[in-house]
């Protein structure tokens, strides 16, 4: 029974040590920040932090073109930061109701090229009339 109580006390002390607040890093200062929201829903914002993170985005209202669609916000922006390896990473993007989210950046992976034989087969299939494609 004595050993059980000692194990229980030791376990409780270990839990308290693990649950203690860890040393927090200093907060990163915001060098600049601006934000503007218009009554129609369009907006823009930008900020820059002391550790080199920069971001900006603009959202514009696109009015509905037909009665069965609704107004949408089209967003364009960019964000940049320094990777752990020391490289500057820049991501430019746009998002709208027609093409969705479209990111662009040198750091993003790209698909390998389609082998010529496969491309030839795909081109042939696309040249067939729709009824014969099945």
């Amino acid at each position: 029974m004595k050993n059980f109580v000692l194990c229980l006390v030791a376990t409780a002390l270990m839990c308290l040590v693990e649950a203690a607040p860890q040393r927090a890093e200093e907060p990163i200062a915001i060098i600049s920040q601006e934000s503007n929201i218009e009554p129609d829903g369009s907006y823009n914002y930008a900020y820059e932090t002391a550790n080199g993170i920069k971001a900006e985005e603009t959202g514009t209202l696109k009015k509905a073109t037909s009665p069965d669609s609704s107004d949408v916000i089209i967003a364009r922006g960019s964000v940049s930061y320094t990777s752990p390896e020391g490289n500057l990473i820049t991501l430019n993007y746009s998002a709208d109701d027609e093409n969705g989210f479209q990111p662009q950046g040198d750091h993003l992976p790209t698909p390998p090229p389609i082998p010529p034989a496969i491309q030839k087969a795909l081109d042939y299939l696309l040249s067939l009339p729709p009824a014969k494609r099945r």
Side-chain angles (χ1 to χ4, degrees):
M1 181 69 174
K2 185 177 178 183
N3 287 338
F4 176 74
V5 171
L6 284 175
C7 287
L8 188 61
V9 169
T11 302
L13 287 174
M14 287 174 45
C15 288
L16 286 173
V17 169
E18 287 296 318
Q22 303 298 316
R23 188 181 76 117
E25 295 182 19
E26 289 293 317
I28 306 299
I30 296 173
I31 296 172
S32 66
Q33 180 178 7
E34 57 185 74
S35 177
N36 184 32
I37 302 173
E38 298 295 331
D40 68 352
S42 61
Y43 64 91
N44 62 42
Y45 72 82
Y47 64 86
E48 181 177 357
T49 62
N51 63 349
I53 297 173
K54 296 178 186 177
E56 60 182 54
E57 183 173 300
T58 301
T60 55
L61 181 68
K62 177 182 173 185
K63 292 286 188 184
T65 55
S66 66
D68 60 331
S69 64
S70 60
D71 297 347
V72 295
I73 297 288
I74 297 174
R76 293 188 187 288
S78 67
V79 63
S80 64
Y81 61 94
T82 303
S83 72
E85 295 80 26
N87 301 321
L88 179 64
I89 303 294
T90 300
L91 176 71
N92 296 305
Y93 59 89
S94 63
D96 61 31
D97 60 326
E98 295 174 9
N99 299 312
F101 181 70
Q102 298 288 315
Q104 297 175 339
D106 294 337
H107 65 290
L108 296 175
T110 57
I114 298 174
I118 304 256
Q119 186 61 56
K120 185 177 178 181
L122 291 172
D123 292 340
Y124 171 73
L125 291 173
L126 286 173
S127 71
L128 295 175
K132 293 186 178 183
R133 288 186 189 172
R134 296 177 196 204

